[in-house]
Amino acid sequence: MKLSNSLEINNLVFKNMKFFLFPFLFTFLIIIAFVFSVSFSIKKISSQRKSLETLKKTERELNEKVSFYDSVKNQIPEHIQTLSYAYPENNSALLIISQIKRAQVELGVNMKGLKVSSSASSSKQDGVVKVNFTAQTTMDQFYPFISRLISFSPIINIDKVMMSISGETLEVDITLSSSFGVIPNKMPTAPVLSKLSDDDLTLLEEMKLLEPPSIFSLPAEENTNRVNPF
Amino acid sequence: MKNINLLPGNLSSSKPLMALLFKVKIFNLIAVIIYGIFLAVVITISISNSASITFSNKKVDDLRSNLTSLSQVEKQYFFLKYKTDNIKKILAKQSSLPGIQKFESVYSESLKGTDLKTVGFANEQTTIEVVFKDSDSLKNFLELVKNSPEYIHVQLDTISYRPGNGYSVYVKIDMEKTI
């Protein structure tokens, strides 16, 4: 009997405790849950926002690239052609000599002592062709000759000119140089779109005005029978 | 059946405690509602973000495949820019051309008819060796080169006079750097 009374009292005390403590416990739990949820949601949403921003940025960049390349794809081959004449990929010695010869024939300038040398840079990416010759001409012919030389592709740089004048005749020792450059084998994995500036476009227009060499190479045609040249 | 409180008055709970409990319960109720709203908002934002991420991922994939189809154009454009930059460097190199071009006007204005011996052009420097018959033509020439804005430094290296021959002059002229 005593035992059952004490159990009943304990039960009553527990029920009362539950009645008073439960709301406070619930408040405590809800605050904990709220704090945890807020921090978790902030982390989750901010990480989502971050990846969304990155994706949007990538999307913008890709969109810009795609629409840009789409808009310029028809102009590129022409520019490539112009630049391959102005700044060839292979040793341009033969092209330079042919252009000098062309100017000489057109303007009736006598030439002697033609020396050609070429050097590749340590990176083997680009090289320079140096040409030295003596031209026998007059002052009236000299300027058109120089103007003609610089109107050709590949780009010719006039390094040194030494004129010896005797009466009307000029004996001019001319040193020219021209650069060529091998295009890199690899391009960056994700190249940044660096658009051609206005200066670059002006330069391309200027390069277009240069006269391309009259000798050029053609790729061999496959599966064609050898034609008798006679 | 009605619940009747038969407990004696001294065992009943105190009124302030009951009021506090009531307030706590109200607070809990409001907190639960706010928490529910908060969860609903967070879940909505999260779902919407996930949908946006999926959509953007798909779009990026589409754009990447578009770019892959334009990879040849991309490569050509990259090398176009590369070559243009290289050409700019080549054009920025020192050249004798500005000196040669400037000399044309100097020659036509003050050296025609003189006994011009040698003229040299090396990068920005022009050297002229000439014999003037009289002092007037020498003065003309020197004034012309001195007043030319393109020539920044004129150095009269040697000058000698021989009667019957005239003034033999050797001049070194430095040009303004064009680039």
Side-chain angles (χ1 to χ4, degrees):
Chain A
M1 184 72 183
K2 259 188 185 175
L3 184 69
S4 99
N5 271 350
S6 99
L7 276 174
E8 256 177 45
I9 287 166
N10 274 348
N11 199 17
L12 195 66
V13 168
F14 179 72
K15 273 186 178 170
N16 280 335
M17 290 282 280
K18 206 175 144 191
F19 176 75
F20 287 115
L21 286 182
F22 185 75
F24 290 103
L25 197 69
F26 190 81
T27 310
F28 176 71
L29 285 177
I30 209 159
I31 288 170
I32 296 280
F34 201 78
V35 169
F36 174 77
S37 301
V38 165
S39 82
F40 178 78
S41 330
I42 287 173
K43 267 185 202 162
K44 176 84 183 161
I45 289 172
S46 77
S47 92
Q48 279 181 331
R49 282 270 159 88
K50 223 174 199 175
S51 39
L52 197 62
E53 264 171 36
T54 316
L55 276 171
K56 288 273 174 205
K57 198 181 159 211
T58 315
E59 192 187 313
R60 256 199 317 275
E61 282 172 4
L62 288 173
N63 216 351
E64 193 191 351
K65 270 188 180 180
V66 168
S67 57
F68 178 74
Y69 290 135
D70 252 336
S71 69
V72 295
K73 70 179 173 193
N74 294 330
Q75 303 155 16
I76 290 179
E78 191 193 353
H79 292 322
I80 292 273
Q81 183 72 22
T82 306
L83 291 191
S84 69
Y85 288 138
Y87 181 60
E89 278 124 47
N90 302 316
N91 193 320
S92 52
L94 206 57
L95 303 177
I96 297 291
I97 295 166
S98 81
Q99 297 288 47
I100 295 169
K101 192 79 190 154
R102 195 167 154 191
Q104 183 226 334
V105 170
E106 279 176 18
L107 297 161
V109 174
N110 289 324
M111 247 173 67
K112 61 176 185 179
L114 182 74
K115 287 175 220 151
V116 185
S117 65
S118 73
S119 61
S121 74
S122 55
S123 64
K124 305 215 167 153
Q125 290 283 304
D126 43 50
V128 178
V129 175
K130 280 208 179 276
V131 181
N132 176 266
F133 61 93
T134 306
Q136 286 170 322
T137 180
T138 59
M139 192 61 93
D140 294 337
Q141 267 184 339
F142 171 72
Y143 275 99
F145 181 64
I146 291 290
S147 304
R148 195 75 185 107
L149 285 180
I150 57 167
S151 71
F152 290 134
S153 274
I155 303 162
I156 292 173
N157 187 47
I158 297 168
D159 291 343
K160 221 171 174 182
V161 170
M162 191 67 207
M163 290 183 196
S164 300
I165 304 123
S166 78
E168 285 292 301
T169 319
L170 297 183
E171 195 157 286
V172 193
D173 186 70
I174 303 173
T175 307
L176 311 171
S177 66
S178 178
S179 302
F180 59 92
V182 179
I183 52 171
N185 294 329
K186 285 180 184 171
M187 62 186 277
T189 42
V192 181
L193 174 61
S194 68
K195 288 182 187 173
L196 291 169
S197 63
D198 287 345
D199 278 357
D200 296 336
L201 292 172
T202 314
L203 184 74
L204 281 172
E205 288 307 312
E206 281 171 16
M207 294 297 111
K208 219 178 271 179
L209 298 175
L210 298 179
E211 255 181 70
S214 47
I215 56 164
F216 50 87
S217 61
L218 286 172
E221 281 178 36
E222 282 178 39
N223 304 325
T224 48
N225 295 325
R226 187 181 164 86
V227 178
N228 188 345
F230 306 106
Chain B
M1 198 177 92
K2 279 191 174 180
N3 287 328
I4 302 164
N5 187 3
L6 296 172
L7 282 170
N10 60 345
L11 285 180
S12 66
S13 308
S14 71
K15 276 189 177 170
L17 186 64
M18 290 309 285
L20 179 68
L21 273 179
F22 179 73
K23 279 177 186 168
V24 168
K25 279 179 183 173
I26 293 291
F27 173 79
N28 284 349
L29 183 70
I30 293 168
V32 166
I33 291 167
I34 291 173
Y35 187 58
I37 293 169
F38 169 77
L39 283 182
V41 169
V42 165
I43 289 167
T44 311
I45 292 173
S46 186
I47 289 171
S48 135
N49 282 349
S50 290
S52 299
I53 287 171
T54 315
F55 181 71
S56 275
N57 263 329
K58 199 186 167 303
K59 215 169 174 188
V60 165
D61 285 344
D62 285 350
L63 285 167
R64 271 194 220 281
S65 74
N66 271 358
L67 199 62
T68 312
S69 67
L70 286 167
S71 66
Q72 195 58 27
V73 179
E74 187 183 24
K75 217 181 262 180
Q76 284 178 333
Y77 195 82
F78 175 78
F79 292 130
L80 192 70
K81 179 75 183 156
Y82 173 82
K83 277 200 164 196
T84 315
D85 291 343
N86 274 4
I87 288 175
K88 274 188 194 163
K89 281 182 207 157
I90 293 167
L91 294 177
K93 277 185 192 168
Q94 285 184 324
S95 164
S96 299
L97 192 64
I100 296 171
Q101 284 168 337
K102 176 64 192 164
F103 180 75
E104 192 176 11
S105 65
V106 174
Y107 176 77
S108 61
E109 283 174 48
S110 66
L111 291 173
K112 244 181 184 169
T114 60
D115 186 7
L116 195 59
K117 298 284 184 196
T118 61
V119 183
F121 305 96
N123 301 328
E124 275 98 29
Q125 195 172 65
T126 304
T127 54
I128 303 168
E129 190 187 349
V130 58
V131 179
F132 293 98
K133 284 194 176 82
D134 50 67
S135 59
D136 284 345
S137 47
L138 168 65
K139 195 181 153 203
N140 269 350
F141 167 72
L142 289 176
E143 267 180 11
L144 182 76
V145 291
K146 216 181 90 187
N147 296 327
S148 294
E150 293 92 343
Y151 293 148
I152 52 164
H153 183 243
V154 181
Q155 185 183 322
L156 187 60
D157 248 25
T158 58
I159 179 163
S160 60
Y161 176 73
R162 193 181 286 176
N165 202 9
Y167 296 89
S168 183
V169 172
Y170 186 79
V171 190
K172 274 184 191 166
I173 304 166
D174 289 324
M175 278 206 77
E176 187 183 39
K177 282 192 180 174
T178 45
I179 296 160

